[in-house]
Amino acid sequence: MPFRPEEIGGWLARYGERPVVATVGSHSALDVADGAVREGFRTLLLCQAGRERTYSQYFRAHRSADGSVERGCVDEVRSYARFADAFTSAELATLRERSALLVPNRALSSYVPLSTIEDELSLPLVGSRRLLRIEERTERDNYYALLEAGGLPIPRPFPRPEAIDGLAIVKLPHATRRLERGFFTVASPAEYEQKSRALLAAGTIAPEDLARARIERYIVGPVFNFNFFFSPLAPRAEGLELLGVDERRESSLDGLVRLPAAQQLELPSAARIPEYTVVGHGTLTVRESILEEVFRWGEKFVEVARAKYPPGIIGPFCLQTVIDPDGHLTIFDVAVRIGGGTNVHLDVGHPYGNALWRMPMSSGRRLAREIRSALASGRLAEIVT
Ligand SMILES: Nc1ncnc2c1ncn2[C@@H]1O[C@H](COP(=O)(O)OP(=O)(O)O)[C@@H](O)[C@H]1O
Ligand SMILES: [Mg+2]
């Protein structure tokens, strides 16, 4: 059932004093749940049957009689045959009765159609609902268009394979594992032909995806994912915070680079093309002189997102970058919600977040703290959409 944005105020008016922090049980859910518990909230995870034991068993919260948490961080798990079943009209009504504030993550926007999230998911989302769609590279108004509009640096696109004049990355989904990547790198039109033919023949990629693939300059350098937070409640000069930086471990890429060159050359040719499936994260800091630029692009992103998609960024977001030898950033991807790597600062916080807040400050805790201060100042409506 479609809802109108004007209804959100009415839902909030009926919410109890202490809403429940809810999120889809995958991606960054542990960080969100841990942070929510730290800030005094109860937590509710929407899980898919068969994928819930992490939450329902291993991180289940044990509370003492006074409500304080002695173990774990997940108060309640609701399981569904499929994630999308969490968002039927009846279930949404139940979640509203429970005063659920939904924190959007990539699991939500991967498993639930964006049109459902935009028009039918009748729960207050802590964040900016309309922005989620820009993460889809196949959309015309995608994050690249937003970054360009804001004057932020992106890898140079190659409009056609024939235009490839140096190392490039071709971005398209995996043919069968649709949520994973079928990316490959090429350095010339001839190599594009040869590699794409091999991947098509192997069934790794599909022709219709290849026709719509994004081809862009491959930037050689280390990847830094900057986990920011923007508070619309704070004075503007204090609105932008850098909480932490993560990097990814991608399979098979990270395994390949751990092989000596001689062994790489022994691999069968198909295994020499790396896959980019994210399987874990590590934590990083960045050379201090680079931080000025990091904040500059963070500010510009906040501004252009607000101009193009009001109310713009609310809460956590992530700029995924490659840094070149001059210390300059190129942004190849963005998350307009909590990033996938924030579990690196789960509970321990991160040097930057901690240095700012004078206490362990993870993305999850920062989010919950924002909800808490919005509740205290009667401004909850400003951080939900
Ligand atoms: N232009 C680029 N230059 C260098 N590496 C890139 C570039 N674009 C993507 N990558 C690599 O591919 C990975 C996945 O790319 P990304 O655009 O983040 O895809 P997804 O949307 O699937 O997360 C990155 O973590 C990075 O290692
Ligand atoms: Mg990415």
Side-chain angles (χ1 to χ4, degrees):
M1 273 269 286
F3 73 92
R4 285 172 298 111
E6 305 81 70
E7 294 174 51
I8 298 175
W11 306 334
L12 293 179
R14 287 188 290 278
Y15 270 29
E17 248 170 57
R18 264 287 179 231
V20 169
V21 174
T23 195
V24 171
S26 190
H27 194 261
S28 47
L30 279 180
D31 184 26
V32 168
D34 169 74
V37 163
R38 282 250 166 245
E39 292 295 315
F41 291 98
R42 294 184 71 83
T43 60
L44 194 170
L45 294 199
L46 309 171
C47 293
Q48 184 164 299
R51 297 179 58 172
E52 78 277 58
R53 278 174 60 186
T54 303
Y55 311 104
S56 63
Q57 181 179 346
Y58 297 108
F59 285 92
R60 191 166 64 84
H62 295 224
R63 291 193 184 251
S64 57
D66 68 358
S68 59
V69 181
E70 292 166 341
R71 179 189 162 97
C73 56
V74 179
D75 285 297
E76 190 185 348
V77 162
R78 292 173 79 85
S79 276
Y80 310 91
R82 295 171 316 128
F83 284 116
D85 298 340
F87 305 107
T88 61
S89 295
E91 192 59 19
L92 286 163
T94 306
L95 292 168
R96 286 196 304 276
E97 274 158 33
R98 308 288 301 279
S99 304
L101 295 173
L102 185 68
V103 174
N105 59 21
R106 186 60 184 161
L108 174 76
S109 54
S110 297
Y111 296 120
V112 181
L114 281 160
S115 55
T116 304
I117 297 174
E118 288 169 346
D119 303 325
E120 294 173 31
L121 204 168
S122 50
L123 277 180
L125 250 62
V126 186
S128 210
R129 194 184 291 255
R130 296 270 153 200
L131 265 174
L132 294 174
R133 187 177 285 278
I134 71 163
E135 292 187 18
E136 303 307 316
R137 264 186 288 269
T138 47
E139 293 284 319
R140 190 175 53 92
D141 293 321
N142 58 17
Y143 68 88
Y144 290 114
L146 186 65
L147 291 169
E148 274 198 296
L152 289 105
I154 61 170
R156 182 160 70 87
F158 297 109
R160 300 171 316 282
E162 301 78 56
I164 296 169
D165 64 358
L167 194 56
I169 183 165
V170 185
K171 297 185 170 183
L172 68 167
H174 194 280
T176 50
R177 291 179 282 132
R178 296 301 292 170
L179 297 179
E180 300 301 342
R181 308 178 177 90
F183 291 11
F184 57 101
T185 56
V186 292
S188 65
E191 192 185 357
Y192 173 91
E193 276 310 311
Q194 177 239 318
K195 270 197 180 161
S196 59
R197 224 179 298 122
L199 289 164
L200 286 166
T204 308
I205 60 172
E208 52 285 10
D209 294 322
L210 188 62
R212 296 195 297 171
R214 166 88 181 183
I215 311 176
E216 67 190 29
R217 167 78 68 221
Y218 185 93
I219 318 284
V220 179
V223 171
F224 284 74
N225 298 325
F226 291 95
N227 295 302
F228 289 101
F229 191 92
F230 180 73
S231 170
L233 306 179
R236 182 62 190 86
E238 293 171 16
L240 181 68
E241 302 166 19
L242 175 65
L243 294 180
V245 189
D246 71 80
E247 63 171 336
R248 296 180 166 171
R249 294 289 186 277
E250 288 162 326
S251 191
S252 57
L253 177 67
D254 284 286
L256 288 172
V257 298
R258 287 168 61 83
L259 286 176
Q263 281 173 32
Q264 292 178 356
L265 294 171
E266 293 298 318
L267 291 170
S269 58
R272 285 187 219 165
I273 303 179
E275 294 201 37
Y276 294 81
T277 305
V278 178
V279 291
H281 304 90
T283 186
L284 294 173
T285 56
V286 70
R287 180 173 167 165
E288 213 159 292
S289 59
I290 295 174
L291 282 174
E292 288 284 326
E293 182 166 324
V294 171
F295 281 111
R296 187 157 68 244
W297 299 136
E299 295 285 5
K300 282 212 171 203
F301 189 69
V302 165
E303 287 306 324
V304 72
R306 178 156 44 193
K308 300 276 179 190
Y309 298 89
I313 290 286
I314 299 170
F317 69 102
C318 179
L319 299 182
Q320 300 167 36
T321 74
V322 183
I323 304 188
D324 70 22
D326 297 322
H328 294 307
L329 276 62
T330 303
I331 303 166
F332 60 82
D333 197 9
V334 305
V336 290
R337 30 83 204 159
I338 190 162
T342 64
N343 277 347
V344 296
H345 37 114
L346 206 167
D347 194 59
V348 294
H350 189 280
Y352 300 118
N354 300 0
L356 181 64
W357 282 91
R358 320 308 314 161
M359 66 172 81
M361 189 55 69
S362 62
S363 291
R365 184 169 191 182
R366 183 64 190 85
L367 236 169
R369 186 162 268 254
E370 187 78 350
I371 298 172
R372 198 154 66 82
S373 69
L375 283 167
S377 54
R379 299 176 70 182
L380 191 56
E382 294 174 48
I383 63 162
V384 302
T385 54

PDB file of all heavy atoms in Angstrom, residues 106 135 137 143 171 181 183 223 225 248 250 278 318 320 332-335 337, ligand 2:
ATOM      1  N   ARG A 106      22.605  -1.645   3.091  1.00  0.00           N
ATOM      2  CA  ARG A 106      22.649  -2.134   1.709  1.00  0.00           C
ATOM      3  C   ARG A 106      21.850  -3.418   1.549  1.00  0.00           C
ATOM      4  O   ARG A 106      21.385  -3.715   0.447  1.00  0.00           O
ATOM      5  CB  ARG A 106      24.102  -2.327   1.270  1.00  0.00           C
ATOM      6  CG  ARG A 106      24.274  -2.697  -0.190  1.00  0.00           C
ATOM      7  CD  ARG A 106      23.712  -1.661  -1.160  1.00  0.00           C
ATOM      8  NE  ARG A 106      23.794  -2.075  -2.552  1.00  0.00           N
ATOM      9  CZ  ARG A 106      23.075  -1.558  -3.551  1.00  0.00           C
ATOM     10  NH1 ARG A 106      22.205  -0.584  -3.315  1.00  0.00           N
ATOM     11  NH2 ARG A 106      23.217  -2.002  -4.774  1.00  0.00           N
ATOM     12  N   GLU A 135      22.601   4.911  -5.758  1.00  0.00           N
ATOM     13  CA  GLU A 135      23.675   3.911  -5.691  1.00  0.00           C
ATOM     14  C   GLU A 135      23.632   2.936  -6.866  1.00  0.00           C
ATOM     15  O   GLU A 135      24.612   2.234  -7.121  1.00  0.00           O
ATOM     16  CB  GLU A 135      23.600   3.136  -4.370  1.00  0.00           C
ATOM     17  CG  GLU A 135      23.939   3.989  -3.157  1.00  0.00           C
ATOM     18  CD  GLU A 135      24.018   3.175  -1.880  1.00  0.00           C
ATOM     19  OE1 GLU A 135      24.155   1.943  -1.945  1.00  0.00           O
ATOM     20  OE2 GLU A 135      23.927   3.782  -0.794  1.00  0.00           O
ATOM     21  N   ARG A 137      24.111   1.869 -10.343  1.00  0.00           N
ATOM     22  CA  ARG A 137      24.896   2.416 -11.455  1.00  0.00           C
ATOM     23  C   ARG A 137      24.109   2.473 -12.760  1.00  0.00           C
ATOM     24  O   ARG A 137      24.426   3.257 -13.641  1.00  0.00           O
ATOM     25  CB  ARG A 137      26.162   1.584 -11.665  1.00  0.00           C
ATOM     26  CG  ARG A 137      27.367   2.167 -10.975  1.00  0.00           C
ATOM     27  CD  ARG A 137      28.618   1.409 -11.322  1.00  0.00           C
ATOM     28  NE  ARG A 137      28.599   0.112 -10.677  1.00  0.00           N
ATOM     29  CZ  ARG A 137      29.112  -0.118  -9.473  1.00  0.00           C
ATOM     30  NH1 ARG A 137      29.717   0.845  -8.818  1.00  0.00           N
ATOM     31  NH2 ARG A 137      29.025  -1.297  -8.931  1.00  0.00           N
ATOM     32  N   TYR A 143      25.008   7.948  -8.702  1.00  0.00           N
ATOM     33  CA  TYR A 143      25.953   8.707  -7.860  1.00  0.00           C
ATOM     34  C   TYR A 143      27.030   9.390  -8.688  1.00  0.00           C
ATOM     35  O   TYR A 143      27.537  10.440  -8.294  1.00  0.00           O
ATOM     36  CB  TYR A 143      26.553   7.806  -6.781  1.00  0.00           C
ATOM     37  CG  TYR A 143      27.478   6.705  -7.269  1.00  0.00           C
ATOM     38  CD1 TYR A 143      28.843   6.941  -7.445  1.00  0.00           C
ATOM     39  CD2 TYR A 143      26.993   5.432  -7.553  1.00  0.00           C
ATOM     40  CE1 TYR A 143      29.689   5.929  -7.892  1.00  0.00           C
ATOM     41  CE2 TYR A 143      27.834   4.422  -7.993  1.00  0.00           C
ATOM     42  CZ  TYR A 143      29.182   4.672  -8.164  1.00  0.00           C
ATOM     43  OH  TYR A 143      30.010   3.682  -8.607  1.00  0.00           O
ATOM     44  N   LYS A 171      32.390  -2.378 -15.054  1.00  0.00           N
ATOM     45  CA  LYS A 171      31.562  -2.679 -13.882  1.00  0.00           C
ATOM     46  C   LYS A 171      30.181  -3.165 -14.295  1.00  0.00           C
ATOM     47  O   LYS A 171      29.417  -2.420 -14.915  1.00  0.00           O
ATOM     48  CB  LYS A 171      31.413  -1.425 -13.016  1.00  0.00           C
ATOM     49  CG  LYS A 171      32.722  -0.916 -12.448  1.00  0.00           C
ATOM     50  CD  LYS A 171      32.472   0.248 -11.500  1.00  0.00           C
ATOM     51  CE  LYS A 171      33.717   0.616 -10.737  1.00  0.00           C
ATOM     52  NZ  LYS A 171      33.468   1.698  -9.766  1.00  0.00           N
ATOM     53  N   ARG A 181      29.644  -9.067  -8.091  1.00  0.00           N
ATOM     54  CA  ARG A 181      30.172  -8.316  -9.230  1.00  0.00           C
ATOM     55  C   ARG A 181      30.721  -9.213 -10.324  1.00  0.00           C
ATOM     56  O   ARG A 181      31.289 -10.256 -10.039  1.00  0.00           O
ATOM     57  CB  ARG A 181      31.296  -7.402  -8.758  1.00  0.00           C
ATOM     58  CG  ARG A 181      30.912  -6.539  -7.608  1.00  0.00           C
ATOM     59  CD  ARG A 181      32.070  -5.680  -7.147  1.00  0.00           C
ATOM     60  NE  ARG A 181      31.611  -4.816  -6.066  1.00  0.00           N
ATOM     61  CZ  ARG A 181      31.650  -5.151  -4.800  1.00  0.00           C
ATOM     62  NH1 ARG A 181      32.148  -6.307  -4.445  1.00  0.00           N
ATOM     63  NH2 ARG A 181      31.194  -4.336  -3.883  1.00  0.00           N
ATOM     64  N   PHE A 183      32.943  -7.721 -12.383  1.00  0.00           N
ATOM     65  CA  PHE A 183      33.903  -6.706 -12.839  1.00  0.00           C
ATOM     66  C   PHE A 183      35.111  -7.351 -13.520  1.00  0.00           C
ATOM     67  O   PHE A 183      35.522  -8.449 -13.158  1.00  0.00           O
ATOM     68  CB  PHE A 183      34.434  -5.907 -11.641  1.00  0.00           C
ATOM     69  CG  PHE A 183      33.434  -5.005 -10.972  1.00  0.00           C
ATOM     70  CD1 PHE A 183      32.088  -5.058 -11.259  1.00  0.00           C
ATOM     71  CD2 PHE A 183      33.871  -4.080 -10.029  1.00  0.00           C
ATOM     72  CE1 PHE A 183      31.177  -4.214 -10.628  1.00  0.00           C
ATOM     73  CE2 PHE A 183      32.968  -3.234  -9.385  1.00  0.00           C
ATOM     74  CZ  PHE A 183      31.630  -3.304  -9.688  1.00  0.00           C
ATOM     75  N   VAL A 223      42.892   1.593  -1.743  1.00  0.00           N
ATOM     76  CA  VAL A 223      41.480   1.959  -1.607  1.00  0.00           C
ATOM     77  C   VAL A 223      41.195   2.320  -0.138  1.00  0.00           C
ATOM     78  O   VAL A 223      41.563   1.583   0.767  1.00  0.00           O
ATOM     79  CB  VAL A 223      40.586   0.780  -2.051  1.00  0.00           C
ATOM     80  CG1 VAL A 223      39.127   1.042  -1.719  1.00  0.00           C
ATOM     81  CG2 VAL A 223      40.738   0.544  -3.561  1.00  0.00           C
ATOM     82  N   ASN A 225      37.962   3.623   2.254  1.00  0.00           N
ATOM     83  CA  ASN A 225      36.536   3.929   2.362  1.00  0.00           C
ATOM     84  C   ASN A 225      36.335   4.830   3.576  1.00  0.00           C
ATOM     85  O   ASN A 225      36.574   4.406   4.706  1.00  0.00           O
ATOM     86  CB  ASN A 225      35.729   2.643   2.532  1.00  0.00           C
ATOM     87  CG  ASN A 225      35.880   1.722   1.333  1.00  0.00           C
ATOM     88  OD1 ASN A 225      35.991   2.176   0.201  1.00  0.00           O
ATOM     89  ND2 ASN A 225      35.895   0.428   1.583  1.00  0.00           N
ATOM     90  N   ARG A 248      38.609  -3.107   2.193  1.00  0.00           N
ATOM     91  CA  ARG A 248      37.931  -4.388   2.004  1.00  0.00           C
ATOM     92  C   ARG A 248      38.884  -5.494   1.665  1.00  0.00           C
ATOM     93  O   ARG A 248      39.900  -5.271   1.032  1.00  0.00           O
ATOM     94  CB  ARG A 248      36.990  -4.263   0.825  1.00  0.00           C
ATOM     95  CG  ARG A 248      35.939  -3.282   1.096  1.00  0.00           C
ATOM     96  CD  ARG A 248      35.078  -3.243  -0.110  1.00  0.00           C
ATOM     97  NE  ARG A 248      33.882  -2.545   0.283  1.00  0.00           N
ATOM     98  CZ  ARG A 248      32.971  -2.174  -0.566  1.00  0.00           C
ATOM     99  NH1 ARG A 248      33.105  -2.450  -1.834  1.00  0.00           N
ATOM    100  NH2 ARG A 248      31.909  -1.550  -0.146  1.00  0.00           N
ATOM    101  N   GLU A 250      38.636  -8.566  -0.761  1.00  0.00           N
ATOM    102  CA  GLU A 250      37.771  -9.022  -1.840  1.00  0.00           C
ATOM    103  C   GLU A 250      38.305 -10.335  -2.397  1.00  0.00           C
ATOM    104  O   GLU A 250      39.511 -10.495  -2.613  1.00  0.00           O
ATOM    105  CB  GLU A 250      37.701  -7.957  -2.942  1.00  0.00           C
ATOM    106  CG  GLU A 250      36.881  -6.764  -2.484  1.00  0.00           C
ATOM    107  CD  GLU A 250      37.095  -5.502  -3.303  1.00  0.00           C
ATOM    108  OE1 GLU A 250      38.201  -5.250  -3.773  1.00  0.00           O
ATOM    109  OE2 GLU A 250      36.128  -4.754  -3.459  1.00  0.00           O
ATOM    110  N   VAL A 278      33.133  -8.901  -1.813  1.00  0.00           N
ATOM    111  CA  VAL A 278      33.591  -8.443  -0.491  1.00  0.00           C
ATOM    112  C   VAL A 278      33.372  -9.552   0.529  1.00  0.00           C
ATOM    113  O   VAL A 278      32.269 -10.086   0.650  1.00  0.00           O
ATOM    114  CB  VAL A 278      32.816  -7.195  -0.052  1.00  0.00           C
ATOM    115  CG1 VAL A 278      33.260  -6.759   1.333  1.00  0.00           C
ATOM    116  CG2 VAL A 278      33.025  -6.074  -1.038  1.00  0.00           C
ATOM    117  N   CYS A 318      29.328   7.018   3.132  1.00  0.00           N
ATOM    118  CA  CYS A 318      30.679   6.518   2.900  1.00  0.00           C
ATOM    119  C   CYS A 318      31.134   6.918   1.497  1.00  0.00           C
ATOM    120  O   CYS A 318      30.396   6.740   0.532  1.00  0.00           O
ATOM    121  CB  CYS A 318      30.675   4.996   3.045  1.00  0.00           C
ATOM    122  SG  CYS A 318      32.271   4.225   2.767  1.00  0.00           S
ATOM    123  N   GLN A 320      33.940   5.985  -1.171  1.00  0.00           N
ATOM    124  CA  GLN A 320      34.915   4.939  -1.458  1.00  0.00           C
ATOM    125  C   GLN A 320      35.910   5.492  -2.479  1.00  0.00           C
ATOM    126  O   GLN A 320      35.505   5.909  -3.565  1.00  0.00           O
ATOM    127  CB  GLN A 320      34.203   3.696  -1.986  1.00  0.00           C
ATOM    128  CG  GLN A 320      33.199   3.168  -0.949  1.00  0.00           C
ATOM    129  CD  GLN A 320      32.247   2.136  -1.512  1.00  0.00           C
ATOM    130  OE1 GLN A 320      32.619   1.334  -2.343  1.00  0.00           O
ATOM    131  NE2 GLN A 320      31.007   2.173  -1.064  1.00  0.00           N
ATOM    132  N   PHE A 332      35.149   6.412  -6.438  1.00  0.00           N
ATOM    133  CA  PHE A 332      34.576   5.489  -7.430  1.00  0.00           C
ATOM    134  C   PHE A 332      33.240   4.918  -6.985  1.00  0.00           C
ATOM    135  O   PHE A 332      32.556   4.272  -7.775  1.00  0.00           O
ATOM    136  CB  PHE A 332      35.557   4.354  -7.767  1.00  0.00           C
ATOM    137  CG  PHE A 332      35.946   3.522  -6.569  1.00  0.00           C
ATOM    138  CD1 PHE A 332      35.108   2.506  -6.119  1.00  0.00           C
ATOM    139  CD2 PHE A 332      37.121   3.763  -5.897  1.00  0.00           C
ATOM    140  CE1 PHE A 332      35.443   1.748  -5.011  1.00  0.00           C
ATOM    141  CE2 PHE A 332      37.469   3.012  -4.775  1.00  0.00           C
ATOM    142  CZ  PHE A 332      36.632   2.002  -4.336  1.00  0.00           C
ATOM    143  N   ASP A 333      32.871   5.126  -5.734  1.00  0.00           N
ATOM    144  CA  ASP A 333      31.580   4.608  -5.269  1.00  0.00           C
ATOM    145  C   ASP A 333      31.184   5.374  -4.009  1.00  0.00           C
ATOM    146  O   ASP A 333      32.050   5.911  -3.316  1.00  0.00           O
ATOM    147  CB  ASP A 333      31.696   3.103  -4.963  1.00  0.00           C
ATOM    148  CG  ASP A 333      30.338   2.400  -4.863  1.00  0.00           C
ATOM    149  OD1 ASP A 333      29.307   3.032  -5.194  1.00  0.00           O
ATOM    150  OD2 ASP A 333      30.304   1.226  -4.457  1.00  0.00           O
ATOM    151  N   VAL A 334      29.893   5.425  -3.746  1.00  0.00           N
ATOM    152  CA  VAL A 334      29.435   6.061  -2.509  1.00  0.00           C
ATOM    153  C   VAL A 334      28.361   5.182  -1.877  1.00  0.00           C
ATOM    154  O   VAL A 334      27.694   4.400  -2.554  1.00  0.00           O
ATOM    155  CB  VAL A 334      28.826   7.472  -2.750  1.00  0.00           C
ATOM    156  CG1 VAL A 334      29.796   8.376  -3.480  1.00  0.00           C
ATOM    157  CG2 VAL A 334      27.517   7.393  -3.498  1.00  0.00           C
ATOM    158  N   ALA A 335      28.228   5.297  -0.576  1.00  0.00           N
ATOM    159  CA  ALA A 335      27.088   4.723   0.136  1.00  0.00           C
ATOM    160  C   ALA A 335      26.386   5.903   0.794  1.00  0.00           C
ATOM    161  O   ALA A 335      27.029   6.692   1.485  1.00  0.00           O
ATOM    162  CB  ALA A 335      27.548   3.716   1.182  1.00  0.00           C
ATOM    163  N   ARG A 337      24.141   5.722   2.975  1.00  0.00           N
ATOM    164  CA  ARG A 337      23.619   5.182   4.252  1.00  0.00           C
ATOM    165  C   ARG A 337      24.829   4.567   4.938  1.00  0.00           C
ATOM    166  O   ARG A 337      25.944   4.753   4.476  1.00  0.00           O
ATOM    167  CB  ARG A 337      22.505   4.152   4.003  1.00  0.00           C
ATOM    168  CG  ARG A 337      22.615   3.369   2.692  1.00  0.00           C
ATOM    169  CD  ARG A 337      23.500   2.209   2.721  1.00  0.00           C
ATOM    170  NE  ARG A 337      24.000   1.851   1.393  1.00  0.00           N
ATOM    171  CZ  ARG A 337      25.105   1.122   1.230  1.00  0.00           C
ATOM    172  NH1 ARG A 337      25.817   0.723   2.263  1.00  0.00           N
ATOM    173  NH2 ARG A 337      25.531   0.809   0.032  1.00  0.00           N
TER     174      ARG A 337
HETATM  175 MG    MG B   2      31.463  -0.170  -3.510  1.00  0.00          MG
END
